[in-house]
């Protein structure tokens, strides 16, 4: 389990989990599963209530940090799931555009979902990811 001192400690879960797997003899593989990255600042407060794009930017910064703590980056992401607490397709598109901006040319498959509610007060966006890092050192 990966916890990160750069992210809020006001949550009761790890930010990521890793599994170091035996690949080819000279290329071990690390699989990384993240918790849903939330729009929380380092004090555990939800940022930018009511602003989907601003929350998505915070989420992606937090996701980048959690991945980095596990030895991965956005370029290693194999799949994302993006949750937006809205039934308005415009809000979903706003969040997706921010996610895609952060992913750059790395067009990993992703799922975009509109949901009724997310877990933190005023939370509108959450993104979880699965990453695979080739050549990661086991242990």
């Amino acid at each position: 389990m990966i916890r990160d001192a750069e992210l809020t400690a006001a949550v009761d879960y790890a930010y990521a989990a890793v599994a170091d797997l035996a690949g080819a003899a000279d290329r071990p593989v690390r699989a990384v599963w993240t918790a849903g990255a939330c729009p929380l600042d380092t004090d555990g407060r939800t940022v930018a209530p009511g602003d989907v794009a601003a929350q998505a930017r915070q989420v992606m910064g937090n996701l980048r940090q959690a991945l980095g703590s596990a030895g991965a980056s956005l370029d290693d992401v194999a799949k994302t799931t993006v949750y937006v607490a809205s039934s308005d397709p415009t809000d979903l598109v706003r969040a997706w555009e921010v996610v895609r901006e952060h992913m750059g040319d790395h067009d990993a498959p992703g799922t975009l979902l509109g949901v009724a509610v997310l877990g933190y007060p005023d939370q509108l966006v959450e993104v979880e990811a699965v990453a695979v890092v080739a050549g990661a050192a086991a242990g």
Side-chain angles (χ1 to χ4, degrees), residues 19-31 133-139:
D20 293 317
L21 309 169
D26 62 337
R27 292 191 47 100
V29 175
R30 169 170 277 189
V133 183

Side-chain angles (χ1 to χ4, degrees), residues 101-123:
E101 176 184 317
H102 281 262
M103 296 298 289
D105 290 336
H106 184 66
D107 60 348
T111 300
L112 175 63
L113 300 167
V115 298
V117 66
L118 291 167
Y120 290 99
D122 300 316
Q123 181 183 0

Side-chain angles (χ1 to χ4, degrees), residues 3 13 28 64 67 79-80 84 104 113 115 119 127 131:
R3 290 169 172 80
Y13 51 81
R64 186 184 310 269
L67 286 166
K79 173 161 187 342
T80 60
V84 183
L113 300 167
V115 298
V127 177

